[in-house]
Amino acid sequence: MQKNKPVPAVSEGTSPPHTSLPTLKVAVGAMISPRDTEVYYQQLLRYLGESINANVELVQRKTYAEVNTLLIAGEIDLAFICSGPYVTGTEQHPLHLLSTPQVQGQHTYKSYLIVHKDSALKQLNDLQGKTFAFTDPDSNTGSLVPRYWLQQKGLTPEHFFKETLFTYSHDNSIFAVAKGLVDGAAVDSLIWDFYQHNNSELTAKTRIIHKSEAYGIPPVVAASSMPQERREAIQHALLAMHTSAQGKQILQNLLIDRFVLPQDHWYSSIRTMQQTLQQAE
C-alpha cells in the first residue's frame, strides 16, 4: 500500500535588519534541508542585499508548491526554485527569469537514481517491490523524472514500488538511502555532487545506478509584482557576482562557477514530461 510520510513544516528565518533599507523577501526551494539552506545560502543572500542596498529576509516553506503560491501572490519577491516548479509556476502566472547557476561550465543538471552502496540493485527494474524516496511532489529530478521513467514502461509508482515516501529535500533522500531507510531514491545531481565534494560521509554509502538526460538548472526567478528597476538591479548583482573576490569565494563555496542569463527553452523537456504524465492520468 502506498504511504506518503511528510516531514514537519518549516518556519521563516530573517537576517538582522537595517530599518532604513527596503526588505527583499527571498525563498530558497527545499532542495536541501532547512538547516543547510540557511548555512549555505545566507552568505549569498547577504551579499545580494549589500549589492542592492536592501535587507534580505529568508523565507522557508516545506514544499515547492507553497513557494510558488507565495511568488504568484507577490508575498515574496525572489526565489531560488526547482526547475519543475518554474515550469508549473509559469503556466499559472508570469515569473521572471533572472539568472541560473553555471556549474562546471554547464547550465544543466541531472537526476541520479541512487541505492545503498552494498545493494545488489543495478537498474530501475530491480527496484520493483522495493521502498523508494521521492523528494517533493513537484520536484523535477526527485519526482517528475522517476515517475516519467516508469510511465515510459507503462508503470506507476503505486503499482511498481512496495512503499514510497516524500522527504522534502534531496539531502534527506540521500540520508534515507545511506541509512537503509529506503532501497532507492532519485536526487538532484547538484546536491549529490555538492555533498560528495564537501561531506562525503553519506554519499559514500550510496551508489548511482542511473543518470537522466540533462535539464536546465533550477533558476532564480522574480515575482511579476517586482518593479522592473529592482529586477534589473538584482539580475546585475547576480550576473556580476563572480567578478568580485568576495562574490567569487561565496560561489566557490556553493560549487557554482557563476550566474548566467537563462533561456526559457532550457526547460522545454521538463514541460514535455509534465504533459506526458498529465495525459496518462
Side-chain angles (χ1 to χ4, degrees):
M1 181 178 180
Q2 193 85 353
K3 296 180 181 179
N4 295 331
K5 303 175 181 177
V7 172
V10 178
S11 60
E12 293 186 3
T14 58
S15 55
H18 297 279
T19 55
S20 61
L21 298 177
T23 297
L24 182 73
K25 293 186 177 183
V26 184
V28 177
M31 295 176 285
I32 54 180
S33 66
R35 175 182 57 80
D36 285 341
T37 295
E38 187 165 0
V39 170
Y40 296 131
Y41 280 89
Q42 198 65 263
Q43 284 187 329
L44 190 158
L45 297 180
R46 189 177 300 116
Y47 175 92
L48 180 59
E50 292 171 354
S51 299
I52 65 168
N53 294 316
N55 290 315
V56 174
E57 179 180 329
L58 176 62
V59 178
Q60 295 183 288
R61 289 293 184 268
K62 184 179 74 173
T63 68
Y64 293 153
E66 288 175 295
V67 171
N68 269 22
T69 298
L70 293 176
L71 267 174
I72 292 170
E75 295 182 26
I76 58 175
D77 305 299
L78 193 71
F80 293 70
I81 62 173
C82 177
S83 301
Y86 164 69
V87 170
T88 303
T90 53
E91 291 174 351
Q92 302 169 351
H93 198 77
L95 295 176
H96 295 277
L97 279 172
L98 296 188
S99 66
T100 194
Q102 176 180 290
V103 179
Q104 296 184 358
Q106 303 294 322
H107 61 261
T108 58
Y109 75 135
K110 298 180 178 182
S111 175
Y112 286 173
L113 182 62
I114 62 172
V115 298
H116 194 276
K117 72 178 183 64
D118 296 328
S119 170
L121 307 177
K122 296 181 179 179
Q123 57 184 342
L124 177 61
N125 288 344
D126 296 337
L127 281 163
Q128 185 168 8
K130 305 296 184 181
T131 55
F132 192 82
F134 293 104
T135 54
D136 183 279
D138 294 318
S139 170
N140 176 45
T141 54
S143 180
L144 178 63
V145 171
R147 288 190 292 115
Y148 180 76
W149 285 338
L150 291 175
Q151 192 276 336
Q152 295 298 286
K153 297 174 178 291
L155 302 167
T156 64
E158 293 78 10
H159 296 95
F160 184 76
F161 298 115
K162 175 184 178 182
E163 182 180 351
T164 64
L165 56 83
F166 288 110
T167 66
Y168 292 99
S169 74
H170 292 277
D171 56 334
N172 282 345
S173 289
I174 296 170
F175 177 90
V177 173
K179 295 299 184 181
L181 303 177
V182 294
D183 296 302
V187 299
D188 182 326
S189 64
L190 301 174
I191 305 300
W192 193 95
D193 291 345
F194 179 88
Y195 280 99
Q196 178 70 359
H197 182 273
N198 288 285
N199 182 10
S200 62
E201 179 182 355
L202 292 178
T203 52
K205 296 177 182 178
T206 70
R207 178 165 48 87
I208 302 168
I209 61 173
H210 185 65
K211 296 181 181 182
S212 73
E213 65 176 278
Y215 305 102
I217 280 183
V220 183
V221 300
S224 60
S225 58
M226 182 186 291
Q228 181 178 350
E229 183 178 353
R230 200 176 200 196
R231 291 201 310 266
E232 291 176 352
I234 294 169
Q235 185 177 60
H236 175 75
L238 290 171
L239 295 179
M241 192 170 175
H242 68 287
T243 63
S244 77
Q246 180 188 7
K248 186 175 183 179
Q249 184 59 58
I250 293 170
L251 292 174
Q252 287 178 345
N253 291 341
L254 292 166
L255 300 187
I256 296 174
D257 304 337
R258 58 180 293 182
F259 284 100
V260 297
L261 279 172
Q263 303 295 322
D264 181 73
H265 68 81
W266 292 353
Y267 307 95
S268 296
S269 59
I270 298 174
R271 287 192 178 91
T272 299
M273 286 193 297
Q274 286 185 350
Q275 291 166 0
T276 300
L277 286 171
Q278 288 168 0
Q279 291 169 0
E281 292 179 352

